[in-house]
Amino acid sequence: MSDDLTALIGPYERWAHGIGADYAYAGATIADSPFMAAAAEWPAGTKPHSMIAGLENKDSSKKEPAVLLPTLWSAAFGKPGRVFCPIVLHVSEPVSATGADRLRDLAAACSQLRPGETERLGKQDTGICFNSRIPRSAVHLGFRPDNITERYARCPKATVPPEAIMAVIDDGIAFAHENLRDAAGKTRVEFCWLQGAAQEVREPTVLFGQEYLSDDIDKLIQACGHDEDLLYRHASPDRGVYAGSTIDHLATHGAHVLDAAAGHRHGSKPNPSRPVPPAGSLDALRVVAVQLPAPATIETASFGKDAFILSAFHYILDRADRIAERYLGKGRALPLFINFSYGFNAGPHHGGERLERALRSLIRRRIARGGATHLIMPAGNDFLSSLHGEITPDQLSGDDRGFDIPWRLQPNDRTSNYLEIWFPQGAVPDRVSITITDPVSRVIYDGPIDRSGLTIRHVDLMLPGALCQHPIGQVSVECYRTGDDEALWRFVLALAPTVPDNPTLPPSSSGTWTVRLGHLHDVVQHGPITCRIQRDINPFGYALGARQSYFDDPGDKAFDASGHRPLGDNPVGVFVRRFGSLNGLATHDAVTVVGGFVATSRSAALYSAAGRDATHQSASGRVHLSAPSDASSALEGVLAAGARSGAVFRMSGTSVAAPQVARAAAIAYLTERRPAHVPSDCGAGHELVRLLDGQLRPAPQDSISQTRLGHALLGREG
């Protein structure tokens, strides 16, 4: 592939859709589908509908791809700032295509998605993040955004007019659960979008998947009665489109989270852990739910989500406007709470990740239009996972003033592993050398990466002397845009599974890989080099054979001197850092970050991740408050609904803490408690803490607790 096209393909895309595609989990790919989800970043002023109009391709004989737009929030564009837009590409690709062919098709598609002025401004002014393919049966080429207007007009109004909206983006959404019904037995779910479902309607209201309005759900409940297995079979979820269907499980991540955020069963006894407004119900809280498709949830490294997540936010904001217009009138807005219990480990961790910037832009624009909007996300569960390290000047050694990064890959790992190495602001990698050595001391790569003036360059990693000449990994150097006029350099390493599903492919060796960076003296003068391993764990409800790699640093002690698990950061000089392990998608200033604590002790849950030290003055990149995520040190998790009405189960993690805060915030609005004036520059987290005044108790004041728990704990004193 030419350098011009190579510059359009990012490290994850090149591995996942190119040379590393052969290692992918079989259920996460739909090789014979021509539809590819992607997220585009364009210069300010770009108008997506106008731009793609000339690229729509209804003639399959043409080579250029069609570009399809999903539901887009009308107020998202036309303002200052860069444009972020989810798109679906229609790329013709034979099933037998090689990795190079696949990358060439994607690069060709990407090259056509540049606005005309981008050629003048430079390639980096446009960014395209390719995600996963969408099944043919899930895409409806007859989609028109206006279809929803007439369809929603025919939908009966709610008995109790809505006063607030709870939106949840997750997996395994139990949208027909009895805890989501009002006093009359009607659903409170106003809209539900199953992104991975087969399309079965004549006038689709979404581009891909299936949408259910409240009357659709009520009709399903009436037709199927208490047989929710039958109901979900009729609802055509992911079954038959992707491998497996999460909603068939007894318990799902989405069912638990949605119930914690908005569930209430009429006639149940009062429960302090599941509060309701003084009216005694949540009937005035309408629900908008989005179920992500299977590839977005089962891809263990969190690659392939951006387009689906960004589409979900556009959909939620559009549907929230429609609800408010129907019940309050045109131009009015209802308070909106978005619980998004997802995340990943890598990224720049200062709000500059592309999806972070896109979500921040949407949230800020709705607030600017007068709509109270709160995005609530979990802190993450990797405080003790050894996935974050920093290289500082005092750690350099050797004649080349370098550092050895100890990266341990686990045996029997069936998924790829990724390591990101972020250079500080102002540093460039031109003189930096990289030497990659496997666990048996074979040098896989040694030398600098000659980027030849490009902003991105990739090098395949080959096993020396191996009979199979298939790369076992790749190393990339990339200048990654983090803002309108800002960028950071990074190295990204991808390594194949230690036990591939396909036994003919060469594996990566399990054990400690050494990644030595040389000639770092000038780089670390700008600040520490940050190293982050991407998550690689089995998502809730799936068994994919993923095993998390980690930094095998001898200075990172698993227990302190008293034999307890550590609560604070490692000592200065140790490579692995625990502070700074925060969810990489929740480091901007338009999100409230929620940690988890143990209910009986009010101490941070061992896994609950932390941002920067509490002494740091920034309102972003830190935990703002915490909620219970474990009942006690002996009883993990908190109770909420299973995938069927009447079922409950325990789930732990900060993912279950976040919806409790979202619920409390919605109740504050439903009881007409509004926050006092909050300075606009204080950040979303502080604003929500102010809103919840009266429902919180102070967190311990020591620096470790303030860093891990934030300023307050959900729950009144006593």
Side-chain angles (χ1 to χ4, degrees):
M1 190 188 304
S2 70
D3 287 342
D4 183 63
L5 292 182
T6 298
L8 301 174
I9 301 295
Y12 287 96
E13 292 90 335
R14 186 178 187 271
W15 178 256
H17 296 298
I19 59 174
D22 295 334
Y23 290 103
Y25 170 69
T29 60
I30 305 96
D32 63 346
S33 175
F35 298 104
M36 171 71 73
E41 177 184 357
W42 288 315
T46 303
K47 298 179 180 179
H49 288 93
S50 300
M51 179 186 167
I52 64 98
L55 297 177
E56 291 181 353
N57 175 20
K58 298 180 175 61
D59 182 358
S60 60
S61 66
K62 294 183 179 180
K63 293 183 179 180
E64 65 269 24
V67 181
L68 309 172
L69 295 178
T71 298
L72 298 178
W73 183 43
S74 60
F77 311 111
K79 300 289 183 180
R82 296 182 64 78
V83 172
F84 302 91
C85 183
I87 58 178
V88 174
L89 300 173
H90 190 176
V91 184
S92 297
E93 178 183 321
V95 178
S96 60
T98 65
D101 291 334
R102 288 190 292 263
L103 292 177
R104 189 175 296 108
D105 285 343
L106 294 181
C110 183
S111 67
Q112 297 189 52
L113 291 171
R114 301 182 194 168
E117 64 268 27
T118 303
E119 297 297 333
R120 175 176 55 83
L121 296 173
K123 293 176 187 174
Q124 282 299 301
D125 218 53
T126 293
I128 305 293
C129 178
F130 295 102
N131 292 171
S132 57
R133 293 185 178 272
I134 305 175
R136 296 173 187 268
S137 59
V139 178
H140 204 296
L141 297 177
F143 163 69
R144 292 175 57 252
D146 292 338
N147 287 349
I148 185 61
T149 303
E150 182 179 349
R151 176 69 188 85
Y152 190 37
R154 298 196 303 265
C155 187
K157 284 189 174 183
T159 305
V160 178
E163 298 177 22
I165 301 169
M166 178 66 70
V168 171
I169 305 170
D170 218 294
D171 176 47
I173 298 291
F175 58 85
H177 202 285
E178 67 177 3
N179 289 7
L180 302 175
R181 301 176 195 172
D182 62 20
K186 302 294 185 181
T187 185
R188 290 187 286 115
V189 179
E190 195 82 355
F191 297 100
C192 179
W193 181 18
L194 308 181
Q195 290 187 336
Q199 188 62 263
E200 296 182 350
V201 294
R202 294 180 180 177
E203 295 184 355
T205 54
V206 288
L207 173 62
F208 54 91
Q210 181 87 351
E211 181 178 27
Y212 289 94
L213 278 63
S214 57
D215 64 332
D216 298 322
I217 298 173
D218 285 333
K219 289 175 182 176
L220 283 169
I221 293 172
Q222 184 177 9
C224 300
H226 296 293
D227 191 346
E228 293 178 14
D229 290 342
L230 177 64
L231 184 150
Y232 290 118
R233 283 198 296 272
H234 281 314
S236 299
D238 294 4
R239 187 183 295 99
V241 179
Y242 297 102
S245 179
T246 311
I247 199 63
D248 288 340
H249 300 175
L250 294 176
T252 70
H253 192 277
H256 194 288
V257 167
L258 181 53
D259 183 53
H264 172 69
R265 187 174 64 183
H266 284 271
S268 59
K269 295 180 179 180
N271 184 346
S273 66
R274 297 173 61 81
V276 294
S281 76
L282 292 174
D283 287 2
L285 181 65
R286 302 301 281 183
V287 174
V288 179
V290 180
Q291 177 172 295
L292 297 173
T297 55
I298 66 178
E299 211 298 316
T300 57
S302 298
F303 168 78
K305 292 182 179 180
D306 291 26
F308 299 109
I309 293 170
L310 189 52
S311 295
F313 273 82
H314 274 275
Y315 171 86
I316 287 168
L317 297 179
D318 176 84
R319 296 314 191 245
D321 281 358
R322 293 179 185 276
I323 295 172
E325 180 177 342
R326 186 176 204 201
Y327 289 94
L328 302 180
K330 194 172 183 62
R332 302 287 298 279
L334 285 165
L336 173 63
F337 305 89
I338 305 174
N339 187 92
F340 185 35
S341 288
Y342 266 66
F344 48 70
N345 298 328
H349 277 245
H350 62 18
E353 204 278 334
R354 179 179 291 138
L355 184 56
E356 281 191 292
R357 291 187 289 128
L359 301 187
R360 180 187 186 276
S361 174
L362 291 174
I363 298 299
R364 289 301 184 197
R365 286 182 181 180
R366 188 175 192 272
I367 293 173
R369 289 167 55 86
T373 311
H374 297 278
L375 170 60
I376 299 97
M377 294 185 66
N381 303 322
D382 291 305
F383 185 73
L384 296 176
S385 298
S386 303
L387 305 181
H388 168 221
E390 289 186 354
I391 303 172
T392 55
D394 59 298
Q395 295 172 317
L396 303 186
S397 64
D399 294 339
D400 63 349
R401 304 305 297 158
F403 183 82
D404 292 335
I405 301 172
W407 184 18
R408 179 172 285 274
L409 271 59
Q410 299 212 52
N412 300 317
D413 181 11
R414 297 171 61 188
T415 55
S416 297
N417 293 277
Y418 302 91
L419 166 63
E420 294 185 3
I421 302 169
W422 290 88
F423 285 49
Q425 187 72 47
V428 295
D430 290 350
R431 295 186 62 252
V432 175
S433 63
I434 182 168
T435 303
I436 303 172
T437 308
D438 75 1
V440 293
S441 301
R442 291 178 296 186
V443 176
I444 307 300
Y445 182 83
D446 185 16
I449 298 180
D450 180 14
R451 59 186 183 89
S452 303
L454 297 174
T455 55
I456 187 168
R457 194 66 183 266
H458 313 283
V459 176
D460 294 343
L461 302 179
M462 309 292 295
L463 280 175
L467 295 177
C468 178
Q469 290 302 301
H470 190 292
I472 63 161
Q474 74 177 26
V475 57
S476 306
V477 59
E478 178 186 23
C479 185
Y480 184 90
R481 177 184 290 278
T482 58
D484 289 355
D485 300 304
E486 300 174 353
L488 293 176
W489 284 96
R490 67 174 180 174
F491 285 137
V492 180
L493 279 72
L495 286 177
T498 57
V499 179
D501 278 348
N502 183 346
T504 66
L505 294 173
S508 295
S509 298
S510 60
T512 300
W513 289 66
T514 302
V515 180
R516 181 168 183 82
L517 302 179
H519 308 290
L520 297 178
H521 179 268
D522 292 341
V523 174
V524 295
Q525 301 309 308
H526 295 271
I529 297 171
T530 303
C531 306
R532 298 187 185 275
I533 295 173
Q534 191 59 279
R535 66 176 290 175
D536 183 28
I537 59 174
N538 293 312
F540 186 88
Y542 294 93
L544 309 180
R547 301 196 69 196
Q548 181 68 62
S549 64
Y550 58 94
F551 293 124
D552 194 2
D553 180 3
D556 180 31
K557 305 298 183 183
F559 298 92
D560 61 23
S562 64
H564 295 95
R565 296 287 272 169
L567 297 177
D569 205 353
N570 274 318
V572 174
V574 176
F575 169 63
V576 169
R577 313 309 302 167
R578 301 186 187 115
F579 288 178
S581 57
L582 199 71
N583 179 351
L585 196 54
T587 65
H588 56 96
D589 62 1
V591 61
T592 298
V593 183
V594 182
F597 69 86
V598 180
T600 53
S601 65
R602 300 183 186 178
S603 60
L606 290 175
Y607 48 77
S608 186
R612 291 169 286 187
D613 190 280
T615 58
H616 198 283
Q617 296 301 310
S618 173
S620 59
R622 61 180 303 174
V623 177
H624 297 109
L625 74 164
S626 293
S629 59
D630 290 317
S632 71
S633 59
L635 184 59
E636 294 183 348
V638 295
L639 287 171
R644 299 294 183 269
S645 297
V648 295
F649 77 104
R650 286 190 176 274
M651 189 166 73
S652 66
T654 56
S655 283
V656 304
Q660 297 176 60
V661 170
R663 182 192 191 100
I667 290 174
Y669 272 88
L670 293 176
T671 53
E672 298 186 354
R673 289 204 304 270
R674 299 291 188 271
H677 174 70
V678 181
S680 59
D681 60 350
C682 76
H686 290 305
E687 182 180 348
L688 197 67
V689 169
R690 183 78 63 91
L691 169 66
L692 294 176
D693 183 40
Q695 300 188 62
L696 304 175
R697 53 176 175 257
Q701 295 301 300
D702 62 281
S703 61
I704 290 178
S705 295
Q706 287 284 296
T707 302
R708 298 198 60 192
L709 296 172
H711 297 300
L713 307 179
L714 185 65
R716 295 182 177 87
E717 293 283 2

